[in-house]
Amino acid sequence: MEASMNKEVIKRRICTKLNHHFGVPPENATLEQFYRASVMIVQEMLIERRRKFVSAQREKEAKSVYYLCMEFLIGRSLRNNLFNLGILEPFEDAIKELNHSFSAIFDLEPDSGLGNGGLGRLAACFLDAAASLGYPVDGYSIRYEFGIFRQKIIDGWQTELPDLWLHGGEVWLTPRADEAVTVKFDGQVMENWGDEHHIEHINYKSVLAIPYDMMISGYDNTSVSLLRLWSATNLNFDIKLFNQGNYMDAVEQKAMAEVISNVLYPSDNHMEGKSLRLRQQYFLVSASIQDIIRKHLSYYETIDNLSDKVAIHINETHPALAIPELMRILLDEWNYGWEDAWTTVTKTFAYTNHTVMSEALEVWPEEIFKRILPRIYQLVQEINNRFCHKIYEMCNDSMRVSQMAIINCGQIHMANLCICACFSVNGVSKIHSNIIKTSLFRNFSELFPSKFINITNGFSNRRWLCQSNPNLCGYIAELIGPGFETNPKEMQSLLKYADNQDVLMKLAEIKKYNKLRLADYIKETNQIIVNPDSIFDVQIKRLHEYKRQLLNALHILLLYDKLKENPNMDFYPRTFIFGAKAAPGYHMAKQIIRLICSIANEINKDKSISDKLKVVFLEDYRVSLAELIIPAAEISEQISLAGTEASGTGNMKLMINGAITLGTMDGANVEISEAVGEDNILIFGLRTNEVEDLKKNGYYPSNYYNDPNISRLMERLKSGVDGVSFQDIANSLIGGQYGNSDPYMVLADFEAYRKIQEEAASRYRDKIRWNKMSLVNIAASGRFSADRAIEEYSDWIWKINKIKDVK
Ligand SMILES: *Cc1c(COP(=O)(O)O)cnc(C)c1O
């Protein structure tokens, strides 16, 4: 891409940076200084490209998208940017010639962990895809001082440490104090009915939002997306207080403001009803909407055309307050009438739903909401009144009105606000979008059917294949030529090699190399020697009961006990690998981690089992660790109870790296199954309708106690694993009162799971067949690219065009 950036030029630039900024020659520079110098060089290239991209966009008066999300799980940026800029190779060569290890430099970069899991990672992949396609899509989020906690396992128990990502991460952020805005909390609203209806917000506390910009380069083009992260402070006011001599008050106010952007809430798929969380949400949206309007006005001088030139995406309900915030600005600051303001709002916002689980659906108590956001509360009330009126007119059914109301029984329902105001509502896989339409939001989809669409999630094939598995990527390029990096559906043509033994052998060889690399890491971090010829069976994702790591763990325990009983039984060696963070307050999830660690301890120290079975829990699962594990995986465990996982993206990343999905008919597994055909996937367990029927007719987990495998497992949990009793886990499955036990039907699916695991082992024995399955998975993974998802968002929802001809 960048013709001028050859190895020699890069070497020269690195040396200049080292000299200018650190006053050292390369031979005396530390790795850290090399890292910082490299980032500076990348940043300079990005700034230049960004400037051109924006000016090309302005010249065309092209419509923009702003993607609002409380989480962006970026991971590391250096290698990604070098790759996308097309200078990874010359850069690596330059570093080598300066006698340093580029992988050591890459490893120095902390993950930017401003997200919990799938939701935040999706947002990060989307910015990458949008830039790579040349679409003008920018992200907004919060510059959390502390991202997702670092996980340390101590005696099997998860402990949380603060994530000090800014040391080493801040080099990617450019502060723009000149574009800071003020966000107002608390206080009262005065209504003034003079000549004009005038609203005044008094006694508020103001917080200053300072933007920090992170640039994300497109691949093989000159587009650059911007991720604007807001940091909270109160510099505004303390100057005045300082001058009045109120030193302590000034410092206190500053500290109170700064807590807002202090820490990411570490729960995934679970609503945290804390008032600080509500402040974070409003802080993000108020700052972002003000910024969007400022940018728009700087070019168009009117906001009448806002919805023609801007689409704002609300990713999950967390940024839903952007809706009343835009109303506030139009009504209170620009004197729009309600109807005109509402027309603009309803043509501007689109919403993606990411979960159907009740504990994740956001509702806020009216009281908290009213106290913290008095003006926004009034506007939500008015939106609700008008909406309720409208649905009553449509259906004449007051029961239905109360079900669809935004405010009901003292609570504000954020999803209802989103569906009411947004012109588009999408789910994230076919099955999930169906569940939304026919069950969770059925009332809405019956009255407003055209709002509801599906866009299946995607992932960046460039990060998750090209960068993290360069050997596989290189081999694919050898076989089918380049082009699949930007058009991953071309990988379909790998199918012509499905019966080519040489190709299949070569794929196995690459997998083996990646397994050895992971085995080294496991040895170093966990002091466990794993058998590189065993099946690497991987379950990596947030720890959540619905994801059923427990099902996997119980099955391992059963395998072990059977192997102990009968050491000569027919058994193909396995290495089970887990990675998962639990929300710090989620006790059962932490217990399940502890169970996995206890199982691992008992098995791994048992000499009689030796090479046959090992269990590894890798701590601090995060993007950079995923990049190491996924290329080495052979079985991809996607075993959530049908109807609970909205899509999953881990399943897609593992697929493109040749792992075989062993999973339920849930989320995107259903589409993976369609894509590869049932011979190339291992599907088991209850289907969504069967889950529904069981729930309707009464699910009695104790019925499964008749299964000898299950009864012995329950006894085993009570009597202890590696000396620790897990009575509480057993109780959660069979002990509780009717309707409370085993909410995710682990026992109902256990036998089916055990059988499909047996099937997996038997298929693995046939190496040719297994490698062929693997090839088919790689070949069929193209449809899950984030590029495809972003094309769909652009065409179906945002109605935006690519910015071409950027020089
Ligand atoms: C992809 C990814 C996830 C999402 O995994 P799922 O299996 O889809 O839940 C979570 N965390 C990290 C670090 C990821 O890279």
Side-chain angles (χ1 to χ4, degrees), residues 73 111 116-119 121-122 268-269 459 464 540-542 546-547 621-627 630 637-638 645 647-654:
L73 192 54
D111 276 42
N116 276 283
L119 177 82
R121 186 54 233 170
L122 182 79
D268 187 61
N269 272 309
F459 68 99
W464 295 101
I540 43 173
K541 50 187 68 252
R542 282 300 287 245
Y546 85 79
K547 292 179 184 274
Y621 180 58
R622 60 195 185 282
V623 172
S624 57
L625 184 53
E627 287 167 353
I630 290 173
E637 299 263 358
Q638 309 298 338
E645 185 75 89
S647 164
T649 48
N651 45 5
M652 304 167 181
K653 301 173 205 163
L654 282 149

Tab-separated table of all heavy atoms in Angstrom, residues 73 111 116-119 121-122 268-269 459 464 540-542 546-547 621-627 630 637-638 645 647-654, ligand 1:
chain	number	residue	atom	x	y	z
A	73	LEU	N	-14.207	-3.616	22.596
A	73	LEU	CA	-13.140	-4.503	23.055
A	73	LEU	C	-12.094	-4.598	21.944
A	73	LEU	O	-12.108	-5.514	21.127
A	73	LEU	CB	-13.745	-5.872	23.395
A	73	LEU	CG	-12.890	-6.874	24.152
A	73	LEU	CD1	-12.336	-6.285	25.435
A	73	LEU	CD2	-13.718	-8.111	24.486
A	111	ASP	N	-3.713	-5.028	26.175
A	111	ASP	CA	-5.004	-5.048	25.479
A	111	ASP	C	-5.795	-3.821	25.905
A	111	ASP	O	-5.817	-3.469	27.070
A	111	ASP	CB	-5.818	-6.282	25.894
A	111	ASP	CG	-5.446	-7.514	25.106
A	111	ASP	OD1	-4.240	-7.725	24.899
A	111	ASP	OD2	-6.358	-8.259	24.721
A	116	ASN	N	-16.634	-6.188	27.790
A	116	ASN	CA	-16.736	-7.437	28.533
A	116	ASN	C	-16.492	-8.671	27.677
A	116	ASN	O	-15.831	-9.601	28.122
A	116	ASN	CB	-18.133	-7.545	29.148
A	116	ASN	CG	-18.229	-6.824	30.465
A	116	ASN	OD1	-17.756	-7.315	31.480
A	116	ASN	ND2	-18.809	-5.641	30.452
A	117	GLY	N	-17.087	-8.685	26.502
A	117	GLY	CA	-17.021	-9.909	25.700
A	117	GLY	C	-17.538	-9.656	24.299
A	117	GLY	O	-17.127	-8.683	23.649
A	118	GLY	N	-18.464	-10.501	23.872
A	118	GLY	CA	-18.932	-10.486	22.489
A	118	GLY	C	-19.443	-9.136	22.000
A	118	GLY	O	-19.125	-8.717	20.889
A	119	LEU	N	-20.224	-8.448	22.828
A	119	LEU	CA	-20.812	-7.175	22.411
A	119	LEU	C	-19.728	-6.154	22.039
A	119	LEU	O	-19.773	-5.529	20.985
A	119	LEU	CB	-21.674	-6.605	23.546
A	119	LEU	CG	-22.295	-5.238	23.279
A	119	LEU	CD1	-23.560	-5.382	22.466
A	119	LEU	CD2	-22.576	-4.488	24.573
A	121	ARG	N	-16.538	-6.758	21.440
A	121	ARG	CA	-15.674	-7.239	20.364
A	121	ARG	C	-16.356	-7.035	19.011
A	121	ARG	O	-15.718	-6.672	18.033
A	121	ARG	CB	-15.308	-8.702	20.595
A	121	ARG	CG	-14.296	-9.268	19.633
A	121	ARG	CD	-13.004	-8.465	19.555
A	121	ARG	NE	-12.696	-8.116	18.176
A	121	ARG	CZ	-11.751	-7.262	17.787
A	121	ARG	NH1	-10.979	-6.643	18.664
A	121	ARG	NH2	-11.572	-6.993	16.524
A	122	LEU	N	-17.655	-7.213	18.963
A	122	LEU	CA	-18.403	-6.985	17.730
A	122	LEU	C	-18.240	-5.527	17.301
A	122	LEU	O	-17.970	-5.233	16.126
A	122	LEU	CB	-19.882	-7.296	17.946
A	122	LEU	CG	-20.751	-7.129	16.698
A	122	LEU	CD1	-20.590	-8.334	15.778
A	122	LEU	CD2	-22.218	-6.940	17.058
A	268	ASP	N	-21.507	-9.036	32.057
A	268	ASP	CA	-21.869	-9.297	30.672
A	268	ASP	C	-23.276	-9.900	30.683
A	268	ASP	O	-23.567	-10.768	31.497
A	268	ASP	CB	-20.863	-10.322	30.120
A	268	ASP	CG	-21.034	-10.558	28.650
A	268	ASP	OD1	-20.876	-9.607	27.884
A	268	ASP	OD2	-21.317	-11.710	28.279
A	269	ASN	N	-24.128	-9.446	29.792
A	269	ASN	CA	-25.480	-9.998	29.733
A	269	ASN	C	-26.209	-9.950	31.065
A	269	ASN	O	-26.922	-10.872	31.432
A	269	ASN	CB	-25.442	-11.454	29.241
A	269	ASN	CG	-25.498	-11.519	27.741
A	269	ASN	OD1	-26.364	-10.914	27.124
A	269	ASN	ND2	-24.542	-12.224	27.137
A	459	PHE	N	-17.307	-11.171	12.188
A	459	PHE	CA	-16.032	-10.921	12.874
A	459	PHE	C	-15.021	-10.511	11.803
A	459	PHE	O	-15.219	-10.760	10.612
A	459	PHE	CB	-15.553	-12.206	13.577
A	459	PHE	CG	-15.155	-13.261	12.598
A	459	PHE	CD1	-13.812	-13.468	12.276
A	459	PHE	CD2	-16.110	-14.004	11.922
A	459	PHE	CE1	-13.445	-14.405	11.320
A	459	PHE	CE2	-15.745	-14.942	10.962
A	459	PHE	CZ	-14.419	-15.138	10.668
A	464	TRP	N	-8.704	-12.158	12.775
A	464	TRP	CA	-8.836	-13.492	13.373
A	464	TRP	C	-8.304	-14.614	12.489
A	464	TRP	O	-8.231	-15.752	12.915
A	464	TRP	CB	-10.282	-13.731	13.790
A	464	TRP	CG	-10.687	-12.797	14.884
A	464	TRP	CD1	-11.429	-11.662	14.754
A	464	TRP	CD2	-10.313	-12.868	16.277
A	464	TRP	NE1	-11.558	-11.040	15.979
A	464	TRP	CE2	-10.884	-11.744	16.926
A	464	TRP	CE3	-9.555	-13.778	17.033
A	464	TRP	CZ2	-10.722	-11.499	18.295
A	464	TRP	CZ3	-9.400	-13.537	18.389
A	464	TRP	CH2	-9.972	-12.403	19.009
A	540	ILE	N	-14.010	-21.091	25.180
A	540	ILE	CA	-13.511	-19.784	25.602
A	540	ILE	C	-14.598	-18.751	25.373
A	540	ILE	O	-15.061	-18.546	24.264
A	540	ILE	CB	-12.229	-19.392	24.813
A	540	ILE	CG1	-12.375	-19.724	23.332
A	540	ILE	CG2	-11.002	-20.064	25.387
A	540	ILE	CD1	-11.232	-19.219	22.461
A	541	LYS	N	-15.013	-18.088	26.431
A	541	LYS	CA	-16.084	-17.098	26.386
A	541	LYS	C	-16.348	-16.653	27.812
A	541	LYS	O	-15.805	-17.236	28.747
A	541	LYS	CB	-17.358	-17.702	25.768
A	541	LYS	CG	-17.745	-19.037	26.397
A	541	LYS	CD	-18.898	-19.733	25.683
A	541	LYS	CE	-18.634	-20.254	24.312
A	541	LYS	NZ	-19.248	-19.533	23.238
A	542	ARG	N	-17.166	-15.637	28.009
A	542	ARG	CA	-17.510	-15.251	29.371
A	542	ARG	C	-18.116	-16.438	30.110
A	542	ARG	O	-18.761	-17.303	29.498
A	542	ARG	CB	-18.509	-14.089	29.344
A	542	ARG	CG	-17.862	-12.762	29.065
A	542	ARG	CD	-16.837	-12.401	30.103
A	542	ARG	NE	-17.486	-12.021	31.346
A	542	ARG	CZ	-17.426	-10.810	31.877
A	542	ARG	NH1	-16.719	-9.868	31.297
A	542	ARG	NH2	-18.039	-10.555	33.013
A	546	TYR	N	-25.825	-19.768	31.323
A	546	TYR	CA	-26.512	-20.144	30.087
A	546	TYR	C	-25.541	-20.690	29.040
A	546	TYR	O	-25.933	-21.457	28.156
A	546	TYR	CB	-27.329	-18.963	29.535
A	546	TYR	CG	-26.589	-17.970	28.659
A	546	TYR	CD1	-26.328	-18.253	27.324
A	546	TYR	CD2	-26.140	-16.752	29.166
A	546	TYR	CE1	-25.655	-17.351	26.517
A	546	TYR	CE2	-25.479	-15.840	28.381
A	546	TYR	CZ	-25.230	-16.149	27.056
A	546	TYR	OH	-24.550	-15.269	26.265
A	547	LYS	N	-24.273	-20.332	29.140
A	547	LYS	CA	-23.294	-20.846	28.188
A	547	LYS	C	-22.852	-22.276	28.531
A	547	LYS	O	-22.186	-22.948	27.753
A	547	LYS	CB	-22.082	-19.920	28.124
A	547	LYS	CG	-22.392	-18.547	27.501
A	547	LYS	CD	-21.154	-17.652	27.490
A	547	LYS	CE	-21.402	-16.257	26.974
A	547	LYS	NZ	-21.303	-16.133	25.495
A	621	TYR	N	-8.682	-14.490	30.260
A	621	TYR	CA	-9.125	-14.576	28.863
A	621	TYR	C	-9.409	-13.171	28.325
A	621	TYR	O	-10.118	-12.387	28.936
A	621	TYR	CB	-10.374	-15.460	28.756
A	621	TYR	CG	-10.860	-15.570	27.329
A	621	TYR	CD1	-10.011	-16.061	26.342
A	621	TYR	CD2	-12.133	-15.157	26.958
A	621	TYR	CE1	-10.424	-16.132	25.024
A	621	TYR	CE2	-12.562	-15.234	25.644
A	621	TYR	CZ	-11.700	-15.717	24.682
A	621	TYR	OH	-12.112	-15.781	23.377
A	622	ARG	N	-8.826	-12.870	27.174
A	622	ARG	CA	-8.936	-11.534	26.580
A	622	ARG	C	-8.615	-11.661	25.097
A	622	ARG	O	-8.250	-12.759	24.642
A	622	ARG	CB	-7.964	-10.569	27.271
A	622	ARG	CG	-6.495	-11.007	27.142
A	622	ARG	CD	-5.587	-10.258	28.126
A	622	ARG	NE	-4.182	-10.602	27.925
A	622	ARG	CZ	-3.596	-11.710	28.345
A	622	ARG	NH1	-4.287	-12.635	28.991
A	622	ARG	NH2	-2.307	-11.936	28.106
A	623	VAL	N	-8.679	-10.565	24.361
A	623	VAL	CA	-8.510	-10.657	22.905
A	623	VAL	C	-7.149	-11.260	22.537
A	623	VAL	O	-7.056	-12.178	21.719
A	623	VAL	CB	-8.697	-9.276	22.236
A	623	VAL	CG1	-8.337	-9.342	20.755
A	623	VAL	CG2	-10.148	-8.805	22.400
A	624	SER	N	-6.079	-10.750	23.150
A	624	SER	CA	-4.761	-11.234	22.718
A	624	SER	C	-4.561	-12.711	23.058
A	624	SER	O	-3.859	-13.426	22.334
A	624	SER	CB	-3.634	-10.375	23.313
A	624	SER	OG	-3.709	-10.363	24.712
A	625	LEU	N	-5.205	-13.168	24.133
A	625	LEU	CA	-5.110	-14.598	24.448
A	625	LEU	C	-5.961	-15.418	23.469
A	625	LEU	O	-5.556	-16.495	23.014
A	625	LEU	CB	-5.543	-14.844	25.900
A	625	LEU	CG	-5.413	-16.276	26.434
A	625	LEU	CD1	-4.016	-16.841	26.230
A	625	LEU	CD2	-5.805	-16.339	27.911
A	626	ALA	N	-7.111	-14.879	23.126
A	626	ALA	CA	-7.963	-15.556	22.131
A	626	ALA	C	-7.193	-15.734	20.824
A	626	ALA	O	-7.302	-16.765	20.153
A	626	ALA	CB	-9.236	-14.746	21.886
A	627	GLU	N	-6.376	-14.745	20.469
A	627	GLU	CA	-5.623	-14.808	19.215
A	627	GLU	C	-4.587	-15.941	19.229
A	627	GLU	O	-4.190	-16.426	18.178
A	627	GLU	CB	-4.940	-13.454	18.941
A	627	GLU	CG	-5.952	-12.384	18.522
A	627	GLU	CD	-5.408	-10.950	18.544
A	627	GLU	OE1	-4.273	-10.736	19.012
A	627	GLU	OE2	-6.134	-10.053	18.108
A	630	ILE	N	-7.244	-19.634	19.586
A	630	ILE	CA	-8.162	-20.013	18.500
A	630	ILE	C	-7.464	-20.745	17.341
A	630	ILE	O	-7.971	-21.766	16.864
A	630	ILE	CB	-8.973	-18.780	18.035
A	630	ILE	CG1	-9.969	-18.404	19.153
A	630	ILE	CG2	-9.699	-19.044	16.720
A	630	ILE	CD1	-10.736	-17.103	18.923
A	637	GLU	N	-16.416	-25.506	21.399
A	637	GLU	CA	-17.585	-25.811	22.242
A	637	GLU	C	-18.538	-24.624	22.236
A	637	GLU	O	-18.211	-23.549	22.750
A	637	GLU	CB	-17.135	-26.073	23.685
A	637	GLU	CG	-16.194	-27.254	23.844
A	637	GLU	CD	-16.913	-28.545	24.258
A	637	GLU	OE1	-18.147	-28.518	24.451
A	637	GLU	OE2	-16.211	-29.563	24.382
A	638	GLN	N	-19.725	-24.819	21.664
A	638	GLN	CA	-20.747	-23.755	21.592
A	638	GLN	C	-22.051	-24.366	22.077
A	638	GLN	O	-22.943	-24.657	21.304
A	638	GLN	CB	-20.857	-23.232	20.152
A	638	GLN	CG	-19.538	-22.830	19.514
A	638	GLN	CD	-18.827	-21.681	20.237
A	638	GLN	OE1	-19.459	-20.898	20.956
A	638	GLN	NE2	-17.521	-21.549	20.058
A	645	GLU	N	-28.310	-17.971	23.508
A	645	GLU	CA	-27.179	-17.216	22.949
A	645	GLU	C	-27.675	-16.483	21.706
A	645	GLU	O	-28.126	-17.120	20.751
A	645	GLU	CB	-26.047	-18.176	22.569
A	645	GLU	CG	-24.774	-17.508	22.095
A	645	GLU	CD	-23.970	-16.885	23.257
A	645	GLU	OE1	-23.133	-17.588	23.835
A	645	GLU	OE2	-24.214	-15.693	23.564
A	647	SER	N	-26.157	-14.763	19.264
A	647	SER	CA	-25.456	-15.149	18.047
A	647	SER	C	-24.195	-15.932	18.384
A	647	SER	O	-24.004	-17.067	17.987
A	647	SER	CB	-25.087	-13.900	17.238
A	647	SER	OG	-24.108	-14.224	16.280
A	648	GLY	N	-23.332	-15.277	19.186
A	648	GLY	CA	-21.987	-15.797	19.351
A	648	GLY	C	-21.158	-15.293	18.186
A	648	GLY	O	-21.659	-15.131	17.055
A	649	THR	N	-19.910	-14.973	18.459
A	649	THR	CA	-18.955	-14.678	17.393
A	649	THR	C	-17.707	-15.532	17.586
A	649	THR	O	-16.970	-15.774	16.635
A	649	THR	CB	-18.557	-13.190	17.372
A	649	THR	OG1	-18.210	-12.789	18.698
A	649	THR	CG2	-19.681	-12.323	16.844
A	650	GLY	N	-17.516	-16.008	18.817
A	650	GLY	CA	-16.416	-16.939	19.075
A	650	GLY	C	-16.561	-18.154	18.154
A	650	GLY	O	-15.574	-18.633	17.569
A	651	ASN	N	-17.787	-18.628	18.015
A	651	ASN	CA	-18.038	-19.776	17.126
A	651	ASN	C	-17.512	-19.518	15.703
A	651	ASN	O	-16.935	-20.393	15.063
A	651	ASN	CB	-19.543	-20.116	17.125
A	651	ASN	CG	-20.456	-18.900	17.003
A	651	ASN	OD1	-19.973	-17.768	16.827
A	651	ASN	ND2	-21.758	-19.102	17.100
A	652	MET	N	-17.685	-18.265	15.217
A	652	MET	CA	-17.249	-17.930	13.851
A	652	MET	C	-15.717	-17.852	13.751
A	652	MET	O	-15.117	-18.319	12.783
A	652	MET	CB	-17.833	-16.572	13.454
A	652	MET	CG	-19.343	-16.498	13.554
A	652	MET	SD	-19.906	-14.781	13.426
A	652	MET	CE	-21.686	-15.008	13.620
A	653	LYS	N	-15.095	-17.227	14.769
A	653	LYS	CA	-13.637	-17.098	14.750
A	653	LYS	C	-12.973	-18.466	14.780
A	653	LYS	O	-11.949	-18.694	14.132
A	653	LYS	CB	-13.159	-16.321	15.979
A	653	LYS	CG	-13.706	-14.930	16.133
A	653	LYS	CD	-13.248	-14.409	17.512
A	653	LYS	CE	-14.142	-13.351	18.063
A	653	LYS	NZ	-13.924	-13.158	19.522
A	654	LEU	N	-13.565	-19.385	15.559
A	654	LEU	CA	-12.991	-20.728	15.639
A	654	LEU	C	-13.181	-21.478	14.322
A	654	LEU	O	-12.291	-22.185	13.860
A	654	LEU	CB	-13.633	-21.485	16.808
A	654	LEU	CG	-13.065	-21.059	18.172
A	654	LEU	CD1	-14.089	-21.177	19.275
A	654	LEU	CD2	-11.819	-21.883	18.515
B	1	LIG	C1	-14.986	-13.215	20.418
B	1	LIG	C2	-14.763	-12.931	21.833
B	1	LIG	C3	-15.802	-13.094	22.757
B	1	LIG	C4	-17.175	-13.607	22.359
B	1	LIG	O1	-17.181	-15.007	22.470
B	1	LIG	P1	-18.543	-15.833	22.393
B	1	LIG	O2	-18.084	-17.244	22.339
B	1	LIG	O3	-19.231	-15.421	21.134
B	1	LIG	O4	-19.312	-15.513	23.614
B	1	LIG	C5	-15.558	-12.814	24.081
B	1	LIG	N1	-14.340	-12.391	24.495
B	1	LIG	C6	-13.318	-12.240	23.639
B	1	LIG	C7	-11.998	-11.796	24.167
B	1	LIG	C8	-13.495	-12.493	22.290
B	1	LIG	O5	-12.468	-12.321	21.447
